[in-house]
Amino acid sequence: MTGYQIFWPLLAHVALVYGLYALLGMRRAKMIRAGKIAKSDYCENRDEPAESLVVKNCLANQFELPVLFYACCVLLYITEADNVVAGVLAWAFVALRYAHAAVHVTSNDLRYRSPIFAAGYIVLAAMWVWLAVWMAAS
């Protein structure tokens, strides 16, 4: 790859994070309008209703494993290992994050969510292995 292609999957993940923030805001506003929680209760976030809690948890999850994804993308770029292999792996990781988030904020069914997470975990590990192999071979 040439240029900044490795950063497009990263930006796609950033779009997911912003979308989840918007969804969290909408679900919280809905809970306030429905009288399930007072606006002031969100100051300490002790009794978050389940409808918005799943989005909050999904959003928090975007700052766990994906942090390693961001670092890997930057390192792939710096080491010039951002080729087709890296690009395919990066897009696969982001696609799996979108799928994981979709399940998380809808059914939240672990029968689907866990294997999707595991697949993303493996894809990200492959990105790091690719980086290590590239650096060792250089």
Side-chain angles (χ1 to χ4, degrees), residues 13 16 20 23-24 27 49-64 66 95-117:
H13 184 263
L16 172 62
L20 288 169
L23 180 60
L24 179 61
R27 288 211 182 161
E51 294 90 338
S52 55
L53 181 61
V54 292
V55 181
K56 179 184 170 197
N57 290 342
C58 182
L59 189 55
N61 191 254
Q62 303 311 314
F63 295 97
E64 295 169 355
L96 289 163
R97 294 309 304 164
Y98 270 83
H100 181 267
V103 172
H104 204 158
V105 302
T106 56
S107 70
N108 201 20
D109 191 332
L110 288 177
R111 290 177 300 163
Y112 303 112
R113 204 176 100 203
S114 292
I116 294 169
F117 179 86

Side-chain angles (χ1 to χ4, degrees), residues 38-56:
K39 188 175 183 180
S40 61
D41 290 338
Y42 285 115
C43 292
E44 304 247 349
N45 248 346
R46 293 189 183 164
D47 296 317
E48 180 114 21
E51 294 90 338
S52 55
L53 181 61
V54 292
V55 181
K56 179 184 170 197

Side-chain angles (χ1 to χ4, degrees), residues 3 46 49 59-60 63 65 68 89 101-103 126-127 132 134:
R46 293 189 183 164
L59 189 55
F63 295 97
L65 196 59
L68 296 176
L89 290 170
V103 172
M127 286 179 67
W134 183 271

